[in-house]
Coordinates of all heavy atoms in Angstrom, one line a residue:
G742 N 101.6 117.9 135.6 CA 100.5 118.2 134.7 C 100.8 117.9 133.3 O 102.0 117.6 132.9
M743 N 99.8 118.0 132.5 CA 100.0 117.8 131.0 C 100.6 119.1 130.4 O 100.5 120.2 130.9 CB 98.7 117.5 130.4 CG 98.1 116.2 130.7 SD 99.1 114.8 130.0 CE 98.5 114.9 128.3
R744 N 101.1 118.9 129.2 CA 101.7 120.0 128.4 C 100.5 120.9 128.1 O 99.4 120.5 127.8 CB 102.3 119.4 127.1 CG 102.8 120.4 126.2 CD 103.3 119.6 124.9 NE 103.7 120.5 123.9 CZ 102.9 120.9 122.9 NH1 101.8 120.4 122.7 NH2 103.4 121.8 122.0
K745 N 100.8 122.2 128.0 CA 99.9 123.2 127.7 C 99.3 122.9 126.3 O 100.1 122.5 125.4 CB 100.5 124.6 127.6 CG 99.5 125.7 127.3 CD 100.2 127.1 127.3 CE 99.1 128.1 126.9 NZ 99.7 129.3 126.4
S746 N 98.0 122.9 126.1 CA 97.3 122.7 124.9 C 97.2 121.2 124.6 O 96.7 120.8 123.5 CB 97.9 123.4 123.7 OG 98.0 124.7 123.9
A747 N 97.6 120.3 125.5 CA 97.3 118.9 125.3 C 95.8 118.6 125.3 O 95.0 119.3 125.9 CB 98.0 118.1 126.4
S748 N 95.4 117.6 124.5 CA 94.0 117.3 124.3 C 93.4 116.8 125.6 O 94.0 116.4 126.6 CB 93.9 116.2 123.3 OG 94.4 116.7 122.0
D749 N 92.0 116.9 125.6 CA 91.2 116.5 126.8 C 91.2 115.0 127.1 O 91.2 114.6 128.2 CB 89.8 117.0 126.6 CG 89.7 118.5 126.4 OD1 90.2 119.2 127.3 OD2 89.0 118.9 125.5
L750 N 91.3 114.2 126.0 CA 91.1 112.8 126.2 C 92.2 112.1 125.4 O 92.5 112.4 124.3 CB 89.7 112.4 125.7 CG 89.4 110.9 125.7 CD1 89.3 110.4 127.1 CD2 88.0 110.7 125.0
F751 N 92.8 111.0 126.0 CA 93.7 110.2 125.3 C 93.3 108.7 125.5 O 93.1 108.3 126.6 CB 95.1 110.3 125.9 CG 96.1 109.4 125.2 CD1 96.4 109.5 123.9 CD2 96.8 108.4 126.0 CE1 97.3 108.7 123.3 CE2 97.7 107.6 125.4 CZ 98.0 107.7 124.0
V752 N 93.1 108.1 124.3 CA 92.8 106.6 124.3 C 94.1 105.9 124.1 O 94.7 105.9 123.0 CB 91.7 106.3 123.2 CG1 91.4 104.8 123.2 CG2 90.5 107.1 123.4
A753 N 94.5 105.2 125.2 CA 95.8 104.6 125.2 C 95.7 103.1 124.7 O 96.0 102.2 125.4 CB 96.5 104.6 126.6
W754 N 95.1 103.0 123.5 CA 94.9 101.6 122.9 C 95.4 101.7 121.5 O 94.8 102.3 120.6 CB 93.5 101.2 123.0 CG 93.3 99.8 122.7 CD1 93.0 99.3 121.5 CD2 93.3 98.7 123.6 NE1 92.9 97.9 121.6 CE2 93.1 97.5 122.9 CE3 93.5 98.6 125.0 CZ2 93.1 96.3 123.5 CZ3 93.5 97.4 125.6 CH2 93.3 96.3 124.8
P755 N 96.5 101.0 121.2 CA 97.0 101.1 119.8 C 96.2 100.2 118.8 O 95.5 99.3 119.2 CB 98.4 100.5 119.9 CG 98.4 99.7 121.1 CD 97.4 100.3 122.0
T756 N 96.2 100.6 117.6 CA 95.5 99.9 116.5 C 96.6 99.5 115.5 O 97.8 99.8 115.7 CB 94.4 100.7 115.8 OG1 95.1 101.8 115.1 CG2 93.4 101.2 116.8
S757 N 96.2 98.9 114.4 CA 97.2 98.6 113.4 C 97.7 99.8 112.7 O 98.8 99.7 112.0 CB 96.6 97.6 112.3 OG 95.5 98.2 111.7
E758 N 97.1 100.9 112.9 CA 97.5 102.2 112.2 C 98.1 103.2 113.1 O 98.9 104.0 112.7 CB 96.3 102.9 111.5 CG 95.8 102.1 110.3 CD 94.7 102.9 109.6 OE1 95.0 103.8 108.8 OE2 93.5 102.6 109.9
Y759 N 97.7 103.3 114.4 CA 98.0 104.3 115.3 C 98.5 103.8 116.7 O 98.0 102.7 117.1 CB 96.9 105.3 115.5 CG 96.3 105.9 114.2 CD1 95.1 105.5 113.7 CD2 97.1 106.9 113.6 CE1 94.6 106.0 112.5 CE2 96.6 107.4 112.4 CZ 95.4 107.0 111.9 OH 94.9 107.5 110.7
Y760 N 99.3 104.6 117.4 CA 99.7 104.2 118.7 C 98.6 104.5 119.8 O 98.7 104.0 120.9 CB 101.0 105.0 119.1 CG 102.2 104.7 118.2 CD1 102.9 105.7 117.6 CD2 102.6 103.4 118.0 CE1 104.0 105.4 116.9 CE2 103.7 103.1 117.2 CZ 104.4 104.1 116.7 OH 105.5 103.8 115.9
G761 N 97.7 105.4 119.5 CA 96.7 105.9 120.4 C 95.9 107.0 119.7 O 96.2 107.4 118.6
L762 N 94.9 107.5 120.5 CA 94.0 108.5 119.9 C 93.9 109.7 120.9 O 93.6 109.5 122.1 CB 92.6 107.9 119.7 CG 91.5 108.9 119.4 CD1 91.7 109.6 118.1 CD2 90.1 108.1 119.4
W763 N 94.2 110.9 120.4 CA 94.1 112.1 121.2 C 92.8 112.8 120.7 O 92.7 113.0 119.5 CB 95.3 113.1 121.0 CG 96.6 112.6 121.6 CD1 97.5 111.8 121.0 CD2 97.0 112.8 122.9 NE1 98.6 111.6 121.9 CE2 98.3 112.2 123.1 CE3 96.5 113.5 124.0 CZ2 99.0 112.2 124.2 CZ3 97.2 113.5 125.2 CH2 98.4 112.9 125.3
I764 N 92.0 113.3 121.6 CA 90.8 114.0 121.3 C 90.6 115.3 122.0 O 90.7 115.3 123.3 CB 89.5 113.2 121.5 CG1 89.5 111.8 120.8 CG2 88.2 113.9 121.1 CD1 88.4 110.9 121.1
E765 N 90.5 116.4 121.3 CA 90.2 117.7 121.9 C 88.6 117.8 121.8 O 88.1 117.8 120.7 CB 90.9 118.8 121.2 CG 90.5 120.2 121.8 CD 90.9 120.4 123.2 OE1 92.0 119.8 123.6 OE2 90.2 121.0 123.9
I766 N 88.0 118.0 123.0 CA 86.5 118.0 123.0 C 86.0 119.4 123.3 O 86.4 120.0 124.2 CB 85.9 117.1 124.0 CG1 86.5 115.6 123.8 CG2 84.4 117.1 124.0 CD1 86.2 114.7 125.0
K767 N 85.2 119.9 122.4 CA 84.5 121.2 122.5 C 83.0 121.0 122.8 O 82.5 120.0 122.3 CB 84.7 122.1 121.3 CG 86.1 122.3 120.9 CD 86.8 123.1 122.0 CE 88.3 123.5 121.6 NZ 89.0 124.0 122.7
K768 N 82.4 121.9 123.6 CA 81.0 121.7 123.9 C 80.1 122.0 122.6 O 80.6 122.7 121.7 CB 80.6 122.6 125.0 CG 80.6 124.0 124.8 CD 80.2 124.8 126.1 CE 80.3 126.3 125.8 NZ 79.9 127.0 127.0
D769 N 78.9 121.4 122.6 CA 78.0 121.6 121.5 C 77.8 123.1 121.2 O 77.8 123.9 122.2 CB 76.6 121.0 121.8 CG 76.6 119.5 121.6 OD1 77.2 119.0 120.6 OD2 75.9 118.8 122.4
G770 N 77.8 123.5 120.0 CA 77.6 124.8 119.6 C 78.9 125.7 119.6 O 78.9 126.9 119.3
W771 N 80.0 125.1 119.9 CA 81.3 125.8 120.0 C 81.6 126.3 118.6 O 81.4 125.7 117.6 CB 82.4 124.9 120.5 CG 83.7 125.5 120.5 CD1 84.3 126.3 121.5 CD2 84.7 125.5 119.5 NE1 85.5 126.7 121.2 CE2 85.8 126.3 119.9 CE3 84.7 125.0 118.2 CZ2 86.9 126.5 119.1 CZ3 85.9 125.2 117.4 CH2 87.0 125.9 117.9
K772 N 82.2 127.5 118.6 CA 82.7 128.1 117.3 C 84.0 128.8 117.7 O 84.2 129.3 118.7 CB 81.7 129.1 116.8 CG 80.4 128.6 116.3 CD 79.6 129.6 115.7 CE 78.2 129.2 115.2 NZ 77.8 128.0 115.0
M773 N 84.9 128.8 116.7 CA 86.2 129.6 116.9 C 85.9 131.1 116.8 O 85.3 131.5 115.8 CB 87.3 129.2 115.9 CG 88.6 129.8 116.2 SD 90.0 129.4 115.2 CE 90.1 127.7 115.1
L774 N 86.3 131.8 117.8 CA 86.1 133.2 117.8 C 87.5 133.9 118.0 O 88.4 133.2 118.4 CB 85.2 133.6 119.0 CG 83.8 132.9 119.0 CD1 83.1 133.2 120.4 CD2 83.0 133.5 117.9
P775 N 87.5 135.2 117.8 CA 88.8 135.9 118.0 C 89.3 135.7 119.5 O 90.5 135.6 119.7 CB 88.5 137.3 117.7 CG 87.4 137.3 116.8 CD 86.6 136.1 117.2
S776 N 88.4 135.6 120.4 CA 88.8 135.4 121.8 C 89.4 134.1 122.1 O 90.1 133.9 123.1 CB 87.6 135.7 122.7 OG 86.5 134.8 122.4
N777 N 89.1 133.0 121.3 CA 89.6 131.7 121.6 C 90.5 131.2 120.5 O 91.0 130.1 120.6 CB 88.5 130.7 121.9 CG 87.6 130.4 120.8 OD1 88.0 130.6 119.6 ND2 86.4 130.0 121.0
K778 N 90.8 132.0 119.5 CA 91.5 131.6 118.3 C 93.0 131.1 118.7 O 93.4 130.0 118.2 CB 91.6 132.7 117.3 CG 92.2 132.3 116.0 CD 92.1 133.4 115.0 CE 92.6 132.9 113.6 NZ 93.8 133.4 113.1
E779 N 93.7 131.9 119.4 CA 95.1 131.5 119.7 C 95.2 130.2 120.5 O 96.0 129.3 120.2 CB 95.7 132.6 120.6 CG 97.2 132.4 120.8 CD 97.9 133.5 121.6 OE1 97.3 134.7 121.6 OE2 98.9 133.3 122.2
H780 N 94.3 130.0 121.5 CA 94.3 128.8 122.3 C 93.9 127.6 121.4 O 94.6 126.5 121.5 CB 93.4 128.9 123.5 CG 93.4 127.7 124.4 ND1 94.5 127.3 125.1 CD2 92.4 126.8 124.6 CE1 94.2 126.2 125.7 NE2 93.0 125.9 125.5
T781 N 92.9 127.8 120.6 CA 92.4 126.7 119.7 C 93.5 126.3 118.7 O 93.7 125.1 118.5 CB 91.1 127.1 119.0 OG1 90.1 127.4 120.0 CG2 90.6 126.0 118.1
E782 N 94.2 127.3 118.2 CA 95.3 127.0 117.2 C 96.4 126.2 117.9 O 97.0 125.3 117.3 CB 95.8 128.3 116.6 CG 94.8 128.8 115.5 CD 95.2 130.1 114.9 OE1 96.1 130.8 115.4 OE2 94.6 130.5 113.9
S783 N 96.7 126.5 119.1 CA 97.7 125.8 119.8 C 97.3 124.3 120.1 O 98.1 123.4 120.1 CB 98.2 126.5 121.1 OG 97.2 126.4 122.1
Q784 N 96.0 124.1 120.3 CA 95.4 122.8 120.5 C 95.5 122.0 119.2 O 95.9 120.8 119.2 CB 94.0 122.8 121.0 CG 93.9 123.4 122.4 CD 92.5 123.6 122.9 OE1 91.6 124.1 122.1 NE2 92.2 123.4 124.1
L785 N 95.2 122.7 118.1 CA 95.3 122.0 116.8 C 96.7 121.7 116.4 O 97.0 120.6 115.9 CB 94.6 122.9 115.7 CG 93.1 123.0 115.8 CD1 92.6 124.1 114.8 CD2 92.4 121.7 115.5
D786 N 97.6 122.6 116.8 CA 99.1 122.3 116.6 C 99.5 121.1 117.4 O 100.2 120.2 116.9 CB 99.9 123.5 117.0 CG 101.4 123.3 116.8 OD1 101.8 123.0 115.6 OD2 102.1 123.4 117.8
F787 N 99.0 120.9 118.6 CA 99.3 119.7 119.4 C 98.9 118.5 118.7 O 99.6 117.5 118.6 CB 98.7 119.8 120.8 CG 98.9 118.6 121.6 CD1 100.0 118.4 122.3 CD2 97.9 117.6 121.7 CE1 100.2 117.2 123.1 CE2 98.1 116.4 122.4 CZ 99.2 116.2 123.1
L788 N 97.6 118.5 118.2 CA 97.1 117.3 117.5 C 97.9 117.0 116.2 O 98.2 115.8 116.0 CB 95.6 117.6 117.1 CG 94.6 117.7 118.2 CD1 93.3 118.1 117.7 CD2 94.5 116.3 118.9
E789 N 98.4 118.0 115.5 CA 99.2 117.8 114.3 C 100.6 117.2 114.7 O 101.1 116.3 114.0 CB 99.4 119.1 113.6 CG 98.2 119.5 112.8 CD 97.7 118.5 111.8 OE1 98.5 117.9 111.1 OE2 96.5 118.2 111.8
Q790 N 101.1 117.6 115.8 CA 102.4 117.1 116.3 C 102.2 115.6 116.7 O 103.1 114.8 116.4 CB 102.9 117.9 117.5 CG 103.4 119.2 117.2 CD 103.8 120.0 118.4 OE1 104.4 119.4 119.4 NE2 103.6 121.3 118.4
M791 N 101.1 115.3 117.3 CA 100.8 113.9 117.6 C 100.7 113.0 116.4 O 101.2 111.9 116.3 CB 99.6 113.8 118.5 CG 99.7 114.4 119.9 SD 101.1 113.7 120.9 CE 102.4 114.9 120.6
K792 N 100.0 113.5 115.4 CA 99.9 112.8 114.1 C 101.2 112.5 113.5 O 101.4 111.4 112.9 CB 99.0 113.6 113.1 CG 97.5 113.6 113.5 CD 96.8 114.5 112.5 CE 95.3 114.7 112.9 NZ 94.6 115.6 112.0
K793 N 102.1 113.4 113.5 CA 103.5 113.3 112.9 C 104.2 112.1 113.6 O 105.2 111.6 112.9 CB 104.3 114.6 113.0 CG 103.8 115.6 112.1 CD 104.6 116.9 112.2 CE 104.0 118.0 111.3 NZ 104.7 119.3 111.5
V794 N 103.9 111.8 114.8 CA 104.7 110.7 115.5 C 103.8 109.4 115.6 O 104.2 108.6 116.5 CB 105.2 111.2 116.8 CG1 106.3 112.3 116.6 CG2 104.2 111.7 117.8
G795 N 102.7 109.3 114.9 CA 102.0 108.0 114.8 C 100.8 107.9 115.6 O 100.2 106.8 115.7
Y796 N 100.3 109.0 116.1 CA 99.0 109.0 116.8 C 97.9 109.5 115.9 O 98.1 110.3 115.0 CB 99.0 109.8 118.1 CG 99.9 109.2 119.2 CD1 101.3 109.6 119.2 CD2 99.5 108.3 120.1 CE1 102.1 109.0 120.1 CE2 100.3 107.7 121.0 CZ 101.7 108.1 121.0 OH 102.5 107.6 122.0
Q797 N 96.6 109.2 116.2 CA 95.5 109.8 115.6 C 95.1 111.0 116.5 O 95.2 110.9 117.7 CB 94.3 108.8 115.5 CG 93.0 109.4 115.0 CD 93.1 109.8 113.5 OE1 93.7 110.9 113.2 NE2 92.5 109.0 112.6
G798 N 94.7 112.1 115.9 CA 94.3 113.3 116.6 C 93.1 113.9 116.0 O 93.1 114.2 114.8
K799 N 92.1 114.2 116.8 CA 90.8 114.8 116.3 C 90.4 115.9 117.3 O 90.6 115.8 118.5 CB 89.7 113.8 116.2 CG 90.0 112.7 115.2 CD 89.8 113.1 113.8 CE 89.9 112.0 112.9 NZ 89.6 112.3 111.5
M800 N 89.7 116.9 116.7 CA 88.9 117.9 117.5 C 87.5 117.6 117.3 O 87.0 117.6 116.1 CB 89.3 119.3 117.1 CG 88.5 120.3 118.0 SD 89.0 122.0 117.7 CE 90.6 122.1 118.5
C801 N 86.7 117.4 118.3 CA 85.3 117.0 118.2 C 84.5 118.1 118.9 O 84.8 118.6 120.0 CB 85.0 115.7 118.8 SG 85.9 114.3 118.1
V802 N 83.4 118.5 118.2 CA 82.4 119.4 118.8 C 81.2 118.6 119.3 O 80.5 118.1 118.4 CB 82.0 120.5 117.8 CG1 81.0 121.5 118.5 CG2 83.3 121.3 117.4
G803 N 81.0 118.5 120.5 CA 79.9 117.8 121.1 C 80.2 116.3 121.3 O 81.1 115.7 120.7
L804 N 79.4 115.7 122.2 CA 79.5 114.3 122.6 C 79.3 113.4 121.4 O 80.0 112.4 121.2 CB 78.6 114.0 123.8 CG 78.7 112.6 124.3 CD1 80.1 112.2 124.8 CD2 77.7 112.4 125.4
D805 N 78.2 113.7 120.6 CA 77.9 112.8 119.5 C 79.1 112.7 118.5 O 79.4 111.6 118.1 CB 76.7 113.3 118.8 CG 75.4 113.2 119.6 OD1 75.4 112.3 120.5 OD2 74.4 113.9 119.3
E806 N 79.7 113.8 118.2 CA 80.9 113.8 117.3 C 82.1 113.0 117.9 O 82.8 112.3 117.3 CB 81.3 115.2 117.0 CG 82.3 115.3 115.8 CD 82.5 116.7 115.4 OE1 81.6 117.5 115.2 OE2 83.7 117.1 115.3
C807 N 82.2 113.1 119.2 CA 83.3 112.4 120.0 C 83.0 110.9 119.9 O 84.0 110.1 119.7 CB 83.3 112.9 121.4 SG 84.7 112.2 122.3
I808 N 81.8 110.5 120.1 CA 81.4 109.1 120.0 C 81.7 108.5 118.6 O 82.3 107.4 118.5 CB 80.0 108.8 120.4 CG1 79.8 109.1 121.9 CG2 79.5 107.4 120.1 CD1 78.4 109.2 122.4
V809 N 81.4 109.2 117.6 CA 81.6 108.8 116.2 C 83.1 108.7 116.0 O 83.6 107.7 115.4 CB 81.0 109.8 115.2 CG1 81.5 109.5 113.8 CG2 79.5 109.7 115.2
C810 N 83.9 109.6 116.5 CA 85.4 109.6 116.4 C 86.0 108.3 117.0 O 86.8 107.6 116.4 CB 85.9 110.8 117.0 SG 87.7 110.9 117.0
V811 N 85.5 108.0 118.2 CA 86.0 106.8 118.9 C 85.6 105.5 118.2 O 86.4 104.6 118.0 CB 85.6 106.8 120.4 CG1 86.0 105.5 121.1 CG2 86.2 108.0 121.1
D812 N 84.3 105.5 117.7 CA 83.9 104.3 117.0 C 84.7 104.1 115.7 O 85.1 103.0 115.4 CB 82.4 104.5 116.6 CG 81.4 104.3 117.7 OD1 81.9 103.7 118.8 OD2 80.3 104.6 117.6
E813 N 85.0 105.2 115.0 CA 85.8 105.1 113.8 C 87.2 104.6 114.1 O 87.8 103.9 113.3 CB 85.8 106.5 113.0 CG 84.6 106.8 112.3 CD 84.3 105.9 111.2 OE1 85.2 105.5 110.4 OE2 83.1 105.5 111.1
Y814 N 87.7 105.1 115.2 CA 89.1 104.7 115.6 C 89.2 103.2 115.8 O 90.2 102.6 115.4 CB 89.5 105.5 116.8 CG 90.9 105.1 117.3 CD1 92.0 105.6 116.7 CD2 91.1 104.3 118.4 CE1 93.3 105.2 117.1 CE2 92.4 103.9 118.8 CZ 93.5 104.4 118.2 OH 94.7 104.1 118.6
F815 N 88.2 102.6 116.4 CA 88.2 101.2 116.7 C 87.6 100.3 115.6 O 87.7 99.1 115.6 CB 87.5 100.9 118.0 CG 88.3 101.3 119.2 CD1 87.9 102.4 120.0 CD2 89.4 100.6 119.5 CE1 88.7 102.7 121.1 CE2 90.2 100.9 120.6 CZ 89.8 102.0 121.4
K816 N 87.1 100.9 114.5 CA 86.5 100.1 113.4 C 87.6 99.4 112.7 O 88.6 100.1 112.3 CB 85.7 101.1 112.5 CG 85.0 100.3 111.4 CD 84.2 101.3 110.5 CE 83.0 101.8 111.2 NZ 82.2 102.7 110.4
P817 N 87.5 98.1 112.5 CA 88.5 97.4 111.7 C 88.7 98.0 110.3 O 87.7 98.3 109.7 CB 88.0 96.0 111.7 CG 86.9 95.9 112.7 CD 86.4 97.3 112.9
K818 N 89.9 98.1 109.9 CA 90.2 98.6 108.6 C 90.4 97.4 107.6 O 91.0 96.4 108.0 CB 91.5 99.4 108.6 CG 91.5 100.6 109.6 CD 90.4 101.6 109.3 CE 90.5 102.8 110.2 NZ 89.5 103.1 111.0
L819 N 89.9 97.5 106.4 CA 90.0 96.4 105.4 C 91.4 96.6 104.8 O 91.8 97.7 104.4 CB 89.0 96.6 104.3 CG 87.5 96.4 104.8 CD1 86.6 96.6 103.7 CD2 87.3 95.0 105.4
N820 N 92.1 95.5 104.7 CA 93.4 95.5 104.0 C 93.2 95.6 102.5 O 92.4 94.9 101.9 CB 94.2 94.2 104.3 CG 94.6 94.1 105.7 OD1 94.8 95.1 106.4 ND2 94.7 92.9 106.3
K821 N 93.9 96.6 101.9 CA 93.8 96.8 100.5 C 95.0 96.1 99.8 O 96.1 96.3 100.2 CB 93.8 98.3 100.1 CG 92.6 99.0 100.6 CD 92.6 100.4 100.2 CE 91.3 101.1 100.8 NZ 91.3 102.5 100.4
V822 N 94.7 95.2 98.9 CA 95.8 94.5 98.2 C 96.0 95.0 96.8 O 95.1 95.5 96.1 CB 95.4 93.0 98.1 CG1 96.5 92.2 97.4 CG2 95.2 92.5 99.5

């Protein structure tokens, strides 16, 4: 199995900036509550750890936000000179 608090979705496709994309998906209308705070913080910690080693990591609320996240991940970046 996966590590506790690992994200729901992993896009195993590297870009010029990242090795891959980790996404934690929450259902529409989700809010952080005292009852889910500890678990959510551990999920956010996982995302931060992945960012430190070269991955992109996002928490998305709802499918629409998740689609935007994936689209942004694959959008070509302009080289700044």
